[in-house]
């Protein structure tokens, strides 16, 4: 572990799923102090997590939420898209007016209806790391890249020490494009892995599953071309999805993991978000719609 950087912020992590746990681990390894926010301020948690990282011996990490007096100046937000409003609400009064919020979640539109402090700085992050959690065990199936940024060219000071531990973490001032690219890949891989109940790599069957990927991707490219224009959207959603499915072949997608655990999935904020955009542009995405409906039905069964 490194020495704490000068004037290092204290980080609060909300959402100890796979990426949240891994982020907390990297923040601690970079020398920052970290607290985990429990789901309700009155509810203290202590978690022990196991990280069989490729470069280190397995290790156990304890995180505490024992400093509730500290205002939240730096929040690492990794709750599931559909849990965001509920998980964040009790902490809103504790957020500093100029808080930095790093939002590392699948999906889009998660903060739309939340009254964040007016001066807070929302930084989005988008990761293609293949990570999953099984009880307190974190499994890293693929260390890829994580783009992080707002619209500024200058990264915050805390990024540099973090980058030394968080492999593949890059500042990207054009984060919107990165987020759309991630969203579209998630919209192809996640619902299909959840419906076929297969790992990412098993979508690459040269047959029915790949044809389903193509149908989703074509509809999505049709929509994104309308939103961004031909010159700004490369219409390569299928190629990017095939490539990520190959790179994360052994991974259980987050949507399949939710489904297997009997939890609600993020479908409303991934393909559901795309359907809401499609409505605004007066287009229909029939195959996306049918995947959303099938997953919504499964969400209802899990409630
Ligand atoms: O983001 C992912 C997810 O599972 O949510 C991918 C990149 C598809 C890796 O599994």
């Amino acid at each position: 572990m490194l020495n704490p950087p000068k004037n290092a912020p204290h980080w609060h992590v909300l959402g100890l799923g796979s990426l949240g746990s891994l982020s907390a681990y990297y923040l601690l390894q970079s020398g920052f102090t970290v607290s985990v926010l429990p789901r309700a301020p009155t509810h203290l948690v202590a978690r022990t997590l196991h990280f069989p990282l490729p470069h280190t011996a397995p290790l156990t990490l304890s995180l505490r939420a024992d400093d509730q007096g500290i205002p939240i100046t730096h929040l690492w937000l990794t709750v599931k898209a559909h849990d965001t409003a509920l998980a964040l609400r009790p902490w809103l009064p504790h957020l500093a007016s100029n808080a930095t919020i790093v939002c590392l979640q699948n999906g889009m539109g998660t903060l739309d209806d939340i009254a964040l402090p007016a001066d807070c700085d929302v930084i989005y992050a988008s990761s293609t790391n293949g990570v999953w959690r099984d009880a307190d065990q974190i499994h890293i199936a693929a260390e890829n890249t994580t783009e992080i940024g707002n619209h500024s060219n200058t990264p915050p000071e805390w990024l540099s020490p973090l980058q030394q531990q968080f492999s593949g973490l890059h500042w990207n001032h054009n984060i919107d494009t990165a987020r759309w690219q991630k969203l579209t890949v998630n919209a192809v891989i996640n619902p299909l892995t959840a419906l076929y109940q297969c790992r990412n790599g098993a979508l690459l069957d040269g047959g029915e599953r790949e044809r389903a990927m193509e149908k989703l991707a074509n509809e999505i490219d049709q929509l994104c071309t309308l939103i961004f224009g031909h010159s700004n959207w490369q219409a390569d959603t299928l190629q990017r999805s095939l490539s990520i499915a190959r790179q994360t072949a052994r991974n259980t997608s987050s949507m399949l993991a939710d489904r297997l655990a009997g939890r609600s999935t993020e479908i409303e904020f991934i393909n559901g978000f795309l359907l809401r955009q499609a409505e605004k542009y007066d287009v229909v995405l029939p195959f996306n719609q049918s995947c959303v409906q099938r997953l919504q039905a499964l969400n209802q069964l899990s409630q």
Side-chain angles (χ1 to χ4, degrees), residues 155-189:
E157 274 178 28
W158 47 260
L159 188 74
S160 168
L162 184 57
Q163 279 174 315
Q164 289 171 34
Q165 303 296 322
F166 198 140
S167 111
L169 183 68
H170 303 290
W171 185 255
N172 182 346
H173 66 271
N174 196 4
I175 193 68
D176 290 347
T177 306
R179 290 180 70 215
W180 270 92
Q181 290 192 337
K182 174 78 197 311
L183 178 82
T184 52
V185 166
N186 283 138
V188 173
I189 295 180

Side-chain angles (χ1 to χ4, degrees), residues 11-300:
W11 282 96
H12 284 86
V13 176
L14 182 57
L16 265 199
S18 50
L19 277 175
S21 305
L22 193 61
S23 305
Y25 170 78
Y26 287 141
L27 285 164
L28 281 166
Q29 289 295 98
S30 310
F32 297 102
T33 52
V34 177
S35 302
V36 176
L37 291 177
R39 291 302 289 262
T42 50
H43 226 208
L44 291 183
V45 284
R47 292 293 297 274
T48 301
L49 299 162
H50 305 269
F51 293 84
L53 288 174
H55 317 300
T56 60
L59 80 126
T60 303
L61 179 74
S62 298
L63 303 172
R64 299 188 321 271
D66 56 0
D67 54 348
Q68 290 174 44
I70 299 179
I72 300 170
T73 60
H74 288 74
L75 177 66
W76 198 278
L77 179 66
T78 39
V79 282
K80 293 273 178 191
H82 50 275
D83 286 338
T84 309
L86 202 64
L88 200 49
R89 195 170 301 131
W91 298 107
L92 289 175
H94 302 261
L95 273 180
S97 61
N98 60 350
T100 295
I101 302 179
V102 173
C103 184
L104 172 54
Q105 299 177 301
N106 277 339
M108 279 201 190
T110 58
L111 297 176
D112 283 358
D113 299 323
I114 301 176
L116 295 174
D119 292 332
C120 78
D121 181 18
V122 179
I123 296 179
Y124 284 100
S126 164
S127 180
T128 50
N129 280 343
V131 189
W132 50 286
R133 204 189 75 182
D134 170 18
D136 285 339
Q137 185 78 40
I138 308 299
H139 301 266
I140 302 174
E143 275 191 304
N144 296 319
T145 52
T146 301
E147 308 281 329
I148 182 167
N150 48 19
H151 295 129
S152 159
N153 284 323
T154 319
E157 274 178 28
W158 47 260
L159 188 74
S160 168
L162 184 57
Q163 279 174 315
Q164 289 171 34
Q165 303 296 322
F166 198 140
S167 111
L169 183 68
H170 303 290
W171 185 255
N172 182 346
H173 66 271
N174 196 4
I175 193 68
D176 290 347
T177 306
R179 290 180 70 215
W180 270 92
Q181 290 192 337
K182 174 78 197 311
L183 178 82
T184 52
V185 166
N186 283 138
V188 173
I189 295 180
N190 294 23
L192 295 178
T193 48
L195 289 168
Y196 286 115
Q197 301 214 34
C198 69
R199 289 186 190 238
N200 296 356
L203 290 177
L204 308 170
D205 67 344
E208 180 191 317
R209 295 174 184 184
E210 275 190 46
R211 282 196 297 279
M213 289 177 83
E214 191 175 347
K215 276 205 251 174
L216 284 174
N218 286 346
E219 289 181 4
I220 292 165
D221 280 337
Q222 187 198 348
L223 170 68
C224 291
T225 305
L226 280 175
I227 299 178
F228 299 104
H230 277 285
S231 45
N232 295 319
W233 187 259
Q234 290 196 348
D236 59 353
T237 297
L238 179 62
Q239 289 74 11
R240 285 183 292 106
S241 305
L242 291 168
S243 153
I244 298 287
R246 246 188 312 271
Q247 285 169 39
T248 60
R250 288 188 305 125
N251 205 39
T252 302
S253 80
S254 51
M255 204 173 283
L256 174 59
D258 284 339
R259 190 179 164 194
L260 293 176
R263 295 186 293 256
S264 291
T265 67
E266 297 178 312
I267 194 70
E268 291 293 343
F269 291 90
I270 300 179
N271 303 71
F273 175 84
L274 291 173
L275 293 183
R276 291 191 287 281
Q277 300 303 306
E279 237 177 83
K280 291 187 199 159
Y281 284 82
D282 223 5
V283 275
V284 280
L285 313 179
F287 195 55
N288 276 268
Q289 204 158 14
S290 95
C291 290
V292 170
Q293 280 162 357
R294 281 185 281 162
L295 281 153
Q296 278 170 337
L298 291 168
N299 276 355
Q300 263 156 23

